[in-house]
Amino acid sequence: MIDWRLDRIGSALRGENPTVLARLPGGFAVIGDVQWLPGYCVLLADDPAVQRLTDLPRAKRLAYLESMDRLGEAVERACAEADPAFRRVNLEILGNTDPYLHAHVWPRYEWESPEIVGKPVWLYPASKWRDPASALSEKHDGLRAAITRYLTG
């Protein structure tokens, strides 16, 4: 069996991606593999050949952006409910590592170190992506359920 992480969009289309929260008009809302900032999510386009927002025809582009907004609001509501130190959500479409269109939804918190709290999340050390302590696990089930509820409710 092929690891779903090697084909995140294909595995979502086949119903095999365990991080999928909901299918939205513009793609798949997924919870991030890492949760050092609890509530981190990604919106995956539903076509792996789409590399840029501008690859989409206008109607699909608007559906993608609306879905990104919807996921951002769901993360904001769930994280604010779960942690009084929640500050805001950062939305980013970068595409520098993975070639397919995807948008990062990063919750930000007051408890982040003063050196990083007002800066891009990408300035966190690369080790954060590999730290088993911040890997997605059952301890994130409550937040995952809340985000899904706000997406689908």
Side-chain angles (χ1 to χ4, degrees), residues 105-126:
V105 180
W106 288 104
R108 303 301 301 265
Y109 297 92
E110 294 294 341
W111 47 255
E112 293 177 67
S113 75
E115 297 80 33
I116 195 78
V117 72
K119 296 182 178 153
V121 103
W122 305 106
L123 295 179
Y124 271 95

mmCIF file with all atom_site columns, all heavy atoms in Angstrom, residues 105-126:
data_model
loop_
_atom_site.group_PDB
_atom_site.id
_atom_site.type_symbol
_atom_site.label_atom_id
_atom_site.label_alt_id
_atom_site.label_comp_id
_atom_site.label_asym_id
_atom_site.label_entity_id
_atom_site.label_seq_id
_atom_site.pdbx_PDB_ins_code
_atom_site.Cartn_x
_atom_site.Cartn_y
_atom_site.Cartn_z
_atom_site.occupancy
_atom_site.B_iso_or_equiv
_atom_site.pdbx_formal_charge
_atom_site.auth_seq_id
_atom_site.auth_comp_id
_atom_site.auth_asym_id
_atom_site.auth_atom_id
_atom_site.pdbx_PDB_model_num
ATOM 1   N N   . VAL A 1 105 ? -3.294 27.463 6.604  1.00 0.00 ? 105 VAL A N   1
ATOM 2   C CA  . VAL A 1 105 ? -4.109 28.213 7.565  1.00 0.00 ? 105 VAL A CA  1
ATOM 3   C C   . VAL A 1 105 ? -3.446 28.021 8.928  1.00 0.00 ? 105 VAL A C   1
ATOM 4   O O   . VAL A 1 105 ? -3.565 26.958 9.544  1.00 0.00 ? 105 VAL A O   1
ATOM 5   C CB  . VAL A 1 105 ? -5.576 27.723 7.572  1.00 0.00 ? 105 VAL A CB  1
ATOM 6   C CG1 . VAL A 1 105 ? -6.400 28.511 8.573  1.00 0.00 ? 105 VAL A CG1 1
ATOM 7   C CG2 . VAL A 1 105 ? -6.178 27.822 6.170  1.00 0.00 ? 105 VAL A CG2 1
ATOM 8   N N   . TRP A 1 106 ? -2.733 29.043 9.356  1.00 0.00 ? 106 TRP A N   1
ATOM 9   C CA  . TRP A 1 106 ? -1.951 28.984 10.593 1.00 0.00 ? 106 TRP A CA  1
ATOM 10  C C   . TRP A 1 106 ? -2.610 29.780 11.707 1.00 0.00 ? 106 TRP A C   1
ATOM 11  O O   . TRP A 1 106 ? -2.682 31.005 11.620 1.00 0.00 ? 106 TRP A O   1
ATOM 12  C CB  . TRP A 1 106 ? -0.554 29.567 10.366 1.00 0.00 ? 106 TRP A CB  1
ATOM 13  C CG  . TRP A 1 106 ? 0.359  28.723 9.554  1.00 0.00 ? 106 TRP A CG  1
ATOM 14  C CD1 . TRP A 1 106 ? 0.712  28.922 8.253  1.00 0.00 ? 106 TRP A CD1 1
ATOM 15  C CD2 . TRP A 1 106 ? 1.066  27.565 9.998  1.00 0.00 ? 106 TRP A CD2 1
ATOM 16  N NE1 . TRP A 1 106 ? 1.589  27.945 7.869  1.00 0.00 ? 106 TRP A NE1 1
ATOM 17  C CE2 . TRP A 1 106 ? 1.831  27.106 8.907  1.00 0.00 ? 106 TRP A CE2 1
ATOM 18  C CE3 . TRP A 1 106 ? 1.115  26.875 11.210 1.00 0.00 ? 106 TRP A CE3 1
ATOM 19  C CZ2 . TRP A 1 106 ? 2.649  25.977 8.998  1.00 0.00 ? 106 TRP A CZ2 1
ATOM 20  C CZ3 . TRP A 1 106 ? 1.925  25.757 11.293 1.00 0.00 ? 106 TRP A CZ3 1
ATOM 21  C CH2 . TRP A 1 106 ? 2.680  25.320 10.194 1.00 0.00 ? 106 TRP A CH2 1
ATOM 22  N N   . PRO A 1 107 ? -3.055 29.128 12.781 1.00 0.00 ? 107 PRO A N   1
ATOM 23  C CA  . PRO A 1 107 ? -3.485 29.893 13.949 1.00 0.00 ? 107 PRO A CA  1
ATOM 24  C C   . PRO A 1 107 ? -2.245 30.431 14.657 1.00 0.00 ? 107 PRO A C   1
ATOM 25  O O   . PRO A 1 107 ? -1.200 29.785 14.677 1.00 0.00 ? 107 PRO A O   1
ATOM 26  C CB  . PRO A 1 107 ? -4.208 28.858 14.813 1.00 0.00 ? 107 PRO A CB  1
ATOM 27  C CG  . PRO A 1 107 ? -3.716 27.541 14.357 1.00 0.00 ? 107 PRO A CG  1
ATOM 28  C CD  . PRO A 1 107 ? -3.207 27.693 12.960 1.00 0.00 ? 107 PRO A CD  1
ATOM 29  N N   . ARG A 1 108 ? -2.370 31.607 15.218 1.00 0.00 ? 108 ARG A N   1
ATOM 30  C CA  . ARG A 1 108 ? -1.265 32.206 15.964 1.00 0.00 ? 108 ARG A CA  1
ATOM 31  C C   . ARG A 1 108 ? -1.738 32.508 17.378 1.00 0.00 ? 108 ARG A C   1
ATOM 32  O O   . ARG A 1 108 ? -2.903 32.836 17.603 1.00 0.00 ? 108 ARG A O   1
ATOM 33  C CB  . ARG A 1 108 ? -0.783 33.490 15.271 1.00 0.00 ? 108 ARG A CB  1
ATOM 34  C CG  . ARG A 1 108 ? -0.339 33.303 13.816 1.00 0.00 ? 108 ARG A CG  1
ATOM 35  C CD  . ARG A 1 108 ? 0.807  32.308 13.627 1.00 0.00 ? 108 ARG A CD  1
ATOM 36  N NE  . ARG A 1 108 ? 2.016  32.637 14.327 1.00 0.00 ? 108 ARG A NE  1
ATOM 37  C CZ  . ARG A 1 108 ? 3.051  33.289 13.807 1.00 0.00 ? 108 ARG A CZ  1
ATOM 38  N NH1 . ARG A 1 108 ? 3.016  33.706 12.555 1.00 0.00 ? 108 ARG A NH1 1
ATOM 39  N NH2 . ARG A 1 108 ? 4.125  33.528 14.534 1.00 0.00 ? 108 ARG A NH2 1
ATOM 40  N N   . TYR A 1 109 ? -0.808 32.407 18.344 1.00 0.00 ? 109 TYR A N   1
ATOM 41  C CA  . TYR A 1 109 ? -1.135 32.467 19.761 1.00 0.00 ? 109 TYR A CA  1
ATOM 42  C C   . TYR A 1 109 ? -0.231 33.428 20.519 1.00 0.00 ? 109 TYR A C   1
ATOM 43  O O   . TYR A 1 109 ? 0.932  33.623 20.152 1.00 0.00 ? 109 TYR A O   1
ATOM 44  C CB  . TYR A 1 109 ? -0.990 31.068 20.378 1.00 0.00 ? 109 TYR A CB  1
ATOM 45  C CG  . TYR A 1 109 ? -1.940 30.058 19.801 1.00 0.00 ? 109 TYR A CG  1
ATOM 46  C CD1 . TYR A 1 109 ? -1.588 29.267 18.715 1.00 0.00 ? 109 TYR A CD1 1
ATOM 47  C CD2 . TYR A 1 109 ? -3.221 29.907 20.332 1.00 0.00 ? 109 TYR A CD2 1
ATOM 48  C CE1 . TYR A 1 109 ? -2.476 28.341 18.180 1.00 0.00 ? 109 TYR A CE1 1
ATOM 49  C CE2 . TYR A 1 109 ? -4.108 28.980 19.810 1.00 0.00 ? 109 TYR A CE2 1
ATOM 50  C CZ  . TYR A 1 109 ? -3.729 28.201 18.734 1.00 0.00 ? 109 TYR A CZ  1
ATOM 51  O OH  . TYR A 1 109 ? -4.617 27.288 18.207 1.00 0.00 ? 109 TYR A OH  1
ATOM 52  N N   . GLU A 1 110 ? -0.766 33.978 21.597 1.00 0.00 ? 110 GLU A N   1
ATOM 53  C CA  . GLU A 1 110 ? 0.001  34.876 22.472 1.00 0.00 ? 110 GLU A CA  1
ATOM 54  C C   . GLU A 1 110 ? 1.158  34.149 23.163 1.00 0.00 ? 110 GLU A C   1
ATOM 55  O O   . GLU A 1 110 ? 2.142  34.783 23.524 1.00 0.00 ? 110 GLU A O   1
ATOM 56  C CB  . GLU A 1 110 ? -0.912 35.524 23.526 1.00 0.00 ? 110 GLU A CB  1
ATOM 57  C CG  . GLU A 1 110 ? -1.943 36.463 22.968 1.00 0.00 ? 110 GLU A CG  1
ATOM 58  C CD  . GLU A 1 110 ? -1.356 37.713 22.324 1.00 0.00 ? 110 GLU A CD  1
ATOM 59  O OE1 . GLU A 1 110 ? -0.191 38.066 22.588 1.00 0.00 ? 110 GLU A OE1 1
ATOM 60  O OE2 . GLU A 1 110 ? -2.084 38.335 21.534 1.00 0.00 ? 110 GLU A OE2 1
ATOM 61  N N   . TRP A 1 111 ? 1.044  32.843 23.358 1.00 0.00 ? 111 TRP A N   1
ATOM 62  C CA  . TRP A 1 111 ? 2.095  32.105 24.062 1.00 0.00 ? 111 TRP A CA  1
ATOM 63  C C   . TRP A 1 111 ? 3.311  31.799 23.184 1.00 0.00 ? 111 TRP A C   1
ATOM 64  O O   . TRP A 1 111 ? 4.307  31.272 23.667 1.00 0.00 ? 111 TRP A O   1
ATOM 65  C CB  . TRP A 1 111 ? 1.557  30.828 24.698 1.00 0.00 ? 111 TRP A CB  1
ATOM 66  C CG  . TRP A 1 111 ? 0.676  29.959 23.839 1.00 0.00 ? 111 TRP A CG  1
ATOM 67  C CD1 . TRP A 1 111 ? -0.679 29.843 23.933 1.00 0.00 ? 111 TRP A CD1 1
ATOM 68  C CD2 . TRP A 1 111 ? 1.077  29.074 22.789 1.00 0.00 ? 111 TRP A CD2 1
ATOM 69  N NE1 . TRP A 1 111 ? -1.151 28.946 22.995 1.00 0.00 ? 111 TRP A NE1 1
ATOM 70  C CE2 . TRP A 1 111 ? -0.090 28.455 22.283 1.00 0.00 ? 111 TRP A CE2 1
ATOM 71  C CE3 . TRP A 1 111 ? 2.305  28.736 22.217 1.00 0.00 ? 111 TRP A CE3 1
ATOM 72  C CZ2 . TRP A 1 111 ? -0.065 27.527 21.242 1.00 0.00 ? 111 TRP A CZ2 1
ATOM 73  C CZ3 . TRP A 1 111 ? 2.333  27.815 21.181 1.00 0.00 ? 111 TRP A CZ3 1
ATOM 74  C CH2 . TRP A 1 111 ? 1.157  27.226 20.715 1.00 0.00 ? 111 TRP A CH2 1
ATOM 75  N N   . GLU A 1 112 ? 3.262  32.163 21.907 1.00 0.00 ? 112 GLU A N   1
ATOM 76  C CA  . GLU A 1 112 ? 4.445  31.983 21.063 1.00 0.00 ? 112 GLU A CA  1
ATOM 77  C C   . GLU A 1 112 ? 5.550  32.913 21.566 1.00 0.00 ? 112 GLU A C   1
ATOM 78  O O   . GLU A 1 112 ? 5.275  33.962 22.144 1.00 0.00 ? 112 GLU A O   1
ATOM 79  C CB  . GLU A 1 112 ? 4.122  32.317 19.609 1.00 0.00 ? 112 GLU A CB  1
ATOM 80  C CG  . GLU A 1 112 ? 3.145  31.340 18.965 1.00 0.00 ? 112 GLU A CG  1
ATOM 81  C CD  . GLU A 1 112 ? 2.804  31.756 17.556 1.00 0.00 ? 112 GLU A CD  1
ATOM 82  O OE1 . GLU A 1 112 ? 3.712  31.721 16.687 1.00 0.00 ? 112 GLU A OE1 1
ATOM 83  O OE2 . GLU A 1 112 ? 1.641  32.129 17.326 1.00 0.00 ? 112 GLU A OE2 1
ATOM 84  N N   . SER A 1 113 ? 6.797  32.538 21.337 1.00 0.00 ? 113 SER A N   1
ATOM 85  C CA  . SER A 1 113 ? 7.909  33.355 21.832 1.00 0.00 ? 113 SER A CA  1
ATOM 86  C C   . SER A 1 113 ? 7.868  34.746 21.200 1.00 0.00 ? 113 SER A C   1
ATOM 87  O O   . SER A 1 113 ? 7.480  34.900 20.045 1.00 0.00 ? 113 SER A O   1
ATOM 88  C CB  . SER A 1 113 ? 9.246  32.680 21.543 1.00 0.00 ? 113 SER A CB  1
ATOM 89  O OG  . SER A 1 113 ? 9.554  32.800 20.172 1.00 0.00 ? 113 SER A OG  1
ATOM 90  N N   . PRO A 1 114 ? 8.255  35.760 21.957 1.00 0.00 ? 114 PRO A N   1
ATOM 91  C CA  . PRO A 1 114 ? 8.226  37.136 21.446 1.00 0.00 ? 114 PRO A CA  1
ATOM 92  C C   . PRO A 1 114 ? 9.060  37.320 20.172 1.00 0.00 ? 114 PRO A C   1
ATOM 93  O O   . PRO A 1 114 ? 8.756  38.168 19.355 1.00 0.00 ? 114 PRO A O   1
ATOM 94  C CB  . PRO A 1 114 ? 8.803  37.973 22.585 1.00 0.00 ? 114 PRO A CB  1
ATOM 95  C CG  . PRO A 1 114 ? 8.743  37.110 23.794 1.00 0.00 ? 114 PRO A CG  1
ATOM 96  C CD  . PRO A 1 114 ? 8.712  35.687 23.336 1.00 0.00 ? 114 PRO A CD  1
ATOM 97  N N   . GLU A 1 115 ? 10.081 36.491 20.003 1.00 0.00 ? 115 GLU A N   1
ATOM 98  C CA  . GLU A 1 115 ? 10.944 36.609 18.828 1.00 0.00 ? 115 GLU A CA  1
ATOM 99  C C   . GLU A 1 115 ? 10.241 36.178 17.546 1.00 0.00 ? 115 GLU A C   1
ATOM 100 O O   . GLU A 1 115 ? 10.646 36.549 16.455 1.00 0.00 ? 115 GLU A O   1
ATOM 101 C CB  . GLU A 1 115 ? 12.216 35.759 18.981 1.00 0.00 ? 115 GLU A CB  1
ATOM 102 C CG  . GLU A 1 115 ? 13.115 36.167 20.117 1.00 0.00 ? 115 GLU A CG  1
ATOM 103 C CD  . GLU A 1 115 ? 12.639 35.653 21.483 1.00 0.00 ? 115 GLU A CD  1
ATOM 104 O OE1 . GLU A 1 115 ? 12.048 34.553 21.555 1.00 0.00 ? 115 GLU A OE1 1
ATOM 105 O OE2 . GLU A 1 115 ? 12.829 36.376 22.462 1.00 0.00 ? 115 GLU A OE2 1
ATOM 106 N N   . ILE A 1 116 ? 9.171  35.373 17.663 1.00 0.00 ? 116 ILE A N   1
ATOM 107 C CA  . ILE A 1 116 ? 8.535  34.812 16.471 1.00 0.00 ? 116 ILE A CA  1
ATOM 108 C C   . ILE A 1 116 ? 7.068  35.191 16.327 1.00 0.00 ? 116 ILE A C   1
ATOM 109 O O   . ILE A 1 116 ? 6.528  35.164 15.233 1.00 0.00 ? 116 ILE A O   1
ATOM 110 C CB  . ILE A 1 116 ? 8.709  33.274 16.449 1.00 0.00 ? 116 ILE A CB  1
ATOM 111 C CG1 . ILE A 1 116 ? 8.406  32.684 15.063 1.00 0.00 ? 116 ILE A CG1 1
ATOM 112 C CG2 . ILE A 1 116 ? 7.833  32.600 17.449 1.00 0.00 ? 116 ILE A CG2 1
ATOM 113 C CD1 . ILE A 1 116 ? 9.475  32.861 14.085 1.00 0.00 ? 116 ILE A CD1 1
ATOM 114 N N   . VAL A 1 117 ? 6.410  35.572 17.394 1.00 0.00 ? 117 VAL A N   1
ATOM 115 C CA  . VAL A 1 117 ? 4.955  35.747 17.366 1.00 0.00 ? 117 VAL A CA  1
ATOM 116 C C   . VAL A 1 117 ? 4.477  36.731 16.304 1.00 0.00 ? 117 VAL A C   1
ATOM 117 O O   . VAL A 1 117 ? 3.439  36.526 15.692 1.00 0.00 ? 117 VAL A O   1
ATOM 118 C CB  . VAL A 1 117 ? 4.402  36.118 18.765 1.00 0.00 ? 117 VAL A CB  1
ATOM 119 C CG1 . VAL A 1 117 ? 4.768  37.532 19.156 1.00 0.00 ? 117 VAL A CG1 1
ATOM 120 C CG2 . VAL A 1 117 ? 2.908  35.902 18.839 1.00 0.00 ? 117 VAL A CG2 1
ATOM 121 N N   . GLY A 1 118 ? 5.233  37.747 15.994 1.00 0.00 ? 118 GLY A N   1
ATOM 122 C CA  . GLY A 1 118 ? 4.813  38.721 14.995 1.00 0.00 ? 118 GLY A CA  1
ATOM 123 C C   . GLY A 1 118 ? 5.431  38.504 13.629 1.00 0.00 ? 118 GLY A C   1
ATOM 124 O O   . GLY A 1 118 ? 5.326  39.352 12.764 1.00 0.00 ? 118 GLY A O   1
ATOM 125 N N   . LYS A 1 119 ? 6.062  37.342 13.448 1.00 0.00 ? 119 LYS A N   1
ATOM 126 C CA  . LYS A 1 119 ? 6.766  37.065 12.199 1.00 0.00 ? 119 LYS A CA  1
ATOM 127 C C   . LYS A 1 119 ? 6.144  35.857 11.499 1.00 0.00 ? 119 LYS A C   1
ATOM 128 O O   . LYS A 1 119 ? 5.326  35.151 12.074 1.00 0.00 ? 119 LYS A O   1
ATOM 129 C CB  . LYS A 1 119 ? 8.244  36.819 12.501 1.00 0.00 ? 119 LYS A CB  1
ATOM 130 C CG  . LYS A 1 119 ? 8.907  38.052 13.073 1.00 0.00 ? 119 LYS A CG  1
ATOM 131 C CD  . LYS A 1 119 ? 10.359 37.847 13.319 1.00 0.00 ? 119 LYS A CD  1
ATOM 132 C CE  . LYS A 1 119 ? 10.931 39.161 13.836 1.00 0.00 ? 119 LYS A CE  1
ATOM 133 N NZ  . LYS A 1 119 ? 12.073 38.965 14.663 1.00 0.00 ? 119 LYS A NZ  1
ATOM 134 N N   . PRO A 1 120 ? 6.554  35.600 10.263 1.00 0.00 ? 120 PRO A N   1
ATOM 135 C CA  . PRO A 1 120 ? 6.006  34.443 9.548  1.00 0.00 ? 120 PRO A CA  1
ATOM 136 C C   . PRO A 1 120 ? 6.334  33.131 10.259 1.00 0.00 ? 120 PRO A C   1
ATOM 137 O O   . PRO A 1 120 ? 7.402  32.967 10.835 1.00 0.00 ? 120 PRO A O   1
ATOM 138 C CB  . PRO A 1 120 ? 6.697  34.495 8.187  1.00 0.00 ? 120 PRO A CB  1
ATOM 139 C CG  . PRO A 1 120 ? 7.191  35.891 8.044  1.00 0.00 ? 120 PRO A CG  1
ATOM 140 C CD  . PRO A 1 120 ? 7.454  36.385 9.434  1.00 0.00 ? 120 PRO A CD  1
ATOM 141 N N   . VAL A 1 121 ? 5.414  32.217 10.184 1.00 0.00 ? 121 VAL A N   1
ATOM 142 C CA  . VAL A 1 121 ? 5.562  30.918 10.817 1.00 0.00 ? 121 VAL A CA  1
ATOM 143 C C   . VAL A 1 121 ? 6.769  30.158 10.264 1.00 0.00 ? 121 VAL A C   1
ATOM 144 O O   . VAL A 1 121 ? 7.346  29.314 10.940 1.00 0.00 ? 121 VAL A O   1
ATOM 145 C CB  . VAL A 1 121 ? 4.240  30.140 10.653 1.00 0.00 ? 121 VAL A CB  1
ATOM 146 C CG1 . VAL A 1 121 ? 4.276  29.095 9.611  1.00 0.00 ? 121 VAL A CG1 1
ATOM 147 C CG2 . VAL A 1 121 ? 3.751  29.598 11.949 1.00 0.00 ? 121 VAL A CG2 1
ATOM 148 N N   . TRP A 1 122 ? 7.169  30.494 9.067  1.00 0.00 ? 122 TRP A N   1
ATOM 149 C CA  . TRP A 1 122 ? 8.282  29.796 8.416  1.00 0.00 ? 122 TRP A CA  1
ATOM 150 C C   . TRP A 1 122 ? 9.617  30.096 9.080  1.00 0.00 ? 122 TRP A C   1
ATOM 151 O O   . TRP A 1 122 ? 10.620 29.453 8.767  1.00 0.00 ? 122 TRP A O   1
ATOM 152 C CB  . TRP A 1 122 ? 8.302  30.150 6.936  1.00 0.00 ? 122 TRP A CB  1
ATOM 153 C CG  . TRP A 1 122 ? 6.970  29.848 6.357  1.00 0.00 ? 122 TRP A CG  1
ATOM 154 C CD1 . TRP A 1 122 ? 6.001  30.754 6.001  1.00 0.00 ? 122 TRP A CD1 1
ATOM 155 C CD2 . TRP A 1 122 ? 6.385  28.563 6.176  1.00 0.00 ? 122 TRP A CD2 1
ATOM 156 N NE1 . TRP A 1 122 ? 4.872  30.095 5.587  1.00 0.00 ? 122 TRP A NE1 1
ATOM 157 C CE2 . TRP A 1 122 ? 5.076  28.742 5.693  1.00 0.00 ? 122 TRP A CE2 1
ATOM 158 C CE3 . TRP A 1 122 ? 6.848  27.265 6.378  1.00 0.00 ? 122 TRP A CE3 1
ATOM 159 C CZ2 . TRP A 1 122 ? 4.231  27.685 5.396  1.00 0.00 ? 122 TRP A CZ2 1
ATOM 160 C CZ3 . TRP A 1 122 ? 5.997  26.210 6.084  1.00 0.00 ? 122 TRP A CZ3 1
ATOM 161 C CH2 . TRP A 1 122 ? 4.712  26.428 5.601  1.00 0.00 ? 122 TRP A CH2 1
ATOM 162 N N   . LEU A 1 123 ? 9.644  31.050 10.017 1.00 0.00 ? 123 LEU A N   1
ATOM 163 C CA  . LEU A 1 123 ? 10.881 31.330 10.750 1.00 0.00 ? 123 LEU A CA  1
ATOM 164 C C   . LEU A 1 123 ? 11.063 30.407 11.949 1.00 0.00 ? 123 LEU A C   1
ATOM 165 O O   . LEU A 1 123 ? 12.113 30.441 12.595 1.00 0.00 ? 123 LEU A O   1
ATOM 166 C CB  . LEU A 1 123 ? 10.919 32.797 11.176 1.00 0.00 ? 123 LEU A CB  1
ATOM 167 C CG  . LEU A 1 123 ? 10.991 33.780 10.009 1.00 0.00 ? 123 LEU A CG  1
ATOM 168 C CD1 . LEU A 1 123 ? 10.990 35.208 10.513 1.00 0.00 ? 123 LEU A CD1 1
ATOM 169 C CD2 . LEU A 1 123 ? 12.194 33.509 9.125  1.00 0.00 ? 123 LEU A CD2 1
ATOM 170 N N   . TYR A 1 124 ? 10.050 29.566 12.239 1.00 0.00 ? 124 TYR A N   1
ATOM 171 C CA  . TYR A 1 124 ? 10.237 28.524 13.250 1.00 0.00 ? 124 TYR A CA  1
ATOM 172 C C   . TYR A 1 124 ? 11.311 27.567 12.738 1.00 0.00 ? 124 TYR A C   1
ATOM 173 O O   . TYR A 1 124 ? 11.463 27.389 11.534 1.00 0.00 ? 124 TYR A O   1
ATOM 174 C CB  . TYR A 1 124 ? 8.932  27.749 13.466 1.00 0.00 ? 124 TYR A CB  1
ATOM 175 C CG  . TYR A 1 124 ? 8.035  28.329 14.523 1.00 0.00 ? 124 TYR A CG  1
ATOM 176 C CD1 . TYR A 1 124 ? 7.009  29.196 14.189 1.00 0.00 ? 124 TYR A CD1 1
ATOM 177 C CD2 . TYR A 1 124 ? 8.212  28.005 15.865 1.00 0.00 ? 124 TYR A CD2 1
ATOM 178 C CE1 . TYR A 1 124 ? 6.174  29.728 15.160 1.00 0.00 ? 124 TYR A CE1 1
ATOM 179 C CE2 . TYR A 1 124 ? 7.380  28.530 16.836 1.00 0.00 ? 124 TYR A CE2 1
ATOM 180 C CZ  . TYR A 1 124 ? 6.364  29.392 16.488 1.00 0.00 ? 124 TYR A CZ  1
ATOM 181 O OH  . TYR A 1 124 ? 5.550  29.920 17.450 1.00 0.00 ? 124 TYR A OH  1
ATOM 182 N N   . PRO A 1 125 ? 12.045 26.920 13.647 1.00 0.00 ? 125 PRO A N   1
ATOM 183 C CA  . PRO A 1 125 ? 13.080 25.976 13.194 1.00 0.00 ? 125 PRO A CA  1
ATOM 184 C C   . PRO A 1 125 ? 12.473 24.812 12.407 1.00 0.00 ? 125 PRO A C   1
ATOM 185 O O   . PRO A 1 125 ? 11.363 24.359 12.699 1.00 0.00 ? 125 PRO A O   1
ATOM 186 C CB  . PRO A 1 125 ? 13.711 25.469 14.496 1.00 0.00 ? 125 PRO A CB  1
ATOM 187 C CG  . PRO A 1 125 ? 13.003 26.117 15.613 1.00 0.00 ? 125 PRO A CG  1
ATOM 188 C CD  . PRO A 1 125 ? 11.955 27.033 15.085 1.00 0.00 ? 125 PRO A CD  1
ATOM 189 N N   . ALA A 1 126 ? 13.205 24.342 11.428 1.00 0.00 ? 126 ALA A N   1
ATOM 190 C CA  . ALA A 1 126 ? 12.754 23.219 10.594 1.00 0.00 ? 126 ALA A CA  1
ATOM 191 C C   . ALA A 1 126 ? 12.465 21.979 11.424 1.00 0.00 ? 126 ALA A C   1
ATOM 192 O O   . ALA A 1 126 ? 11.643 21.138 11.042 1.00 0.00 ? 126 ALA A O   1
ATOM 193 C CB  . ALA A 1 126 ? 13.803 22.921 9.526  1.00 0.00 ? 126 ALA A CB  1
#
